[in-house]
Structures are given as structure tokens and as C-alpha cells.
Amino acid sequence: MKIEQMTAEHLDGVEALEKSCFSHPWSRQSLETELENEQSLFYAAVEDGQVIGYIGMSFVLDEGYIYNVAVDEKYRKRGIGSALIRMLVTHCKKEGFAFLTLEVRESNTAARSLYQHFGFIKVGERKNYYSDPTENAVLMTLYF
């Protein structure tokens, strides 16, 4: 498995991941738009030419906002999510970011635990932020 900066060549795989991992997946057009956005950064985890995970963020000055982290269900529990987060955290440290933040479903204990492992802390909640099913979002931030 290798992690590389996402390009248009990864879009088919990322679009498939979006559909399999999220109840409200991003459209291909949204992914393409963000890929061209100079204020966004995406990485893809690739194995044997197949996208098996990805992470994306936007940034404003020295603030980073993670959009999504997704790993193909067949490849979970193999450190791919950790590798993707580590790549983004390393980038943010190198670029002198003040913080990196995200929202996660309250019930997603595996993801919350993973983020805590990297030093993210709970900084708030958004009531009923998610739908299908309706659920609170936990806001987590890593300060540098």
C-alpha cells in the first residue's frame, strides 16, 4: 500500500468509496471541484492500482478542516486510516498550521478512538448534524 496525493486518476475509486462508506456521499462533480481547489488537499491510499482509502481537507491560512476519511471495508483494521491521518498531520505540521479539526458521528467510536490516538480532543458537538440516521456530530481538534 502506498499513499499518494490524489489526482483525477483516483476519482473512480474515491467515488466508489464515498458511495460505500457514507449515507450522503459526495458527487463526482464535488470531488472534481475540490481536487481543483487550491485550498484543498487530498491523499489516496492505493494497493495494486486500486484506491482503498482516502482523506481530504480544506484549509484557510493556518487552519485545516478534514472533510472525509474513508477506508474500504475489506481493508479496515490494517493501519490505512492511521497512515492517511499521519500523512495529513505531517503536512499540517510542516506547513505551520495552528490546528486541524473535523466532525465525526457520535456513535463512530472506532474513528473517535483513532483521532484521539493522534491527539485530537473533543471541543464541542453539533446536535442532529447527521441524517440517515439522525445523530450528533462530535467536533474534534488537534492543536499544533
Side-chain angles (χ1 to χ4, degrees), residues 1 19 24 30 62 65 69 72-73 77 82 95 107 111 120 128 131 133-134 136:
M1 187 264 312
K19 289 177 180 175
H24 295 281
S30 293
D62 63 350
Y65 300 89
V69 181
D72 185 309
E73 191 171 6
K77 306 268 189 216
S82 290
E95 296 298 319
S107 65
F120 284 80
N128 302 319
S131 58
T134 300
N136 294 345

Side-chain angles (χ1 to χ4, degrees), residues 55 66 69-71 76-86 89 102 104 108-121 140 142:
I55 192 168
I66 295 178
V69 181
V71 175
R76 291 183 186 160
K77 306 268 189 216
R78 297 186 189 180
I80 296 163
S82 290
L84 288 164
I85 293 167
R86 188 175 303 107
V89 167
L102 57 87
V104 59
N108 193 344
T109 54
R112 290 174 61 191
S113 176
L114 176 62
Y115 301 135
Q116 287 171 343
H117 172 78
F118 280 92
F120 284 80
I121 57 170
M140 299 184 77
L142 171 63

Side-chain angles (χ1 to χ4, degrees), residues 19-72:
K19 289 177 180 175
S20 69
C21 294
F22 301 110
S23 56
H24 295 281
W26 282 26
S27 69
R28 184 180 185 93
Q29 182 178 358
S30 293
L31 291 165
E32 288 173 346
T33 299
E34 284 306 315
L35 199 54
E36 296 170 8
N37 182 349
E38 291 181 2
Q39 299 298 114
S40 293
L41 177 65
F42 287 82
Y43 290 106
V46 179
E47 186 169 277
D48 298 325
Q50 177 186 344
V51 175
I52 57 172
Y54 92 100
I55 192 168
M57 68 172 271
S58 68
F59 53 91
V60 177
L61 301 173
D62 63 350
E63 304 171 357
Y65 300 89
I66 295 178
Y67 289 133
N68 281 336
V69 181
V71 175
D72 185 309

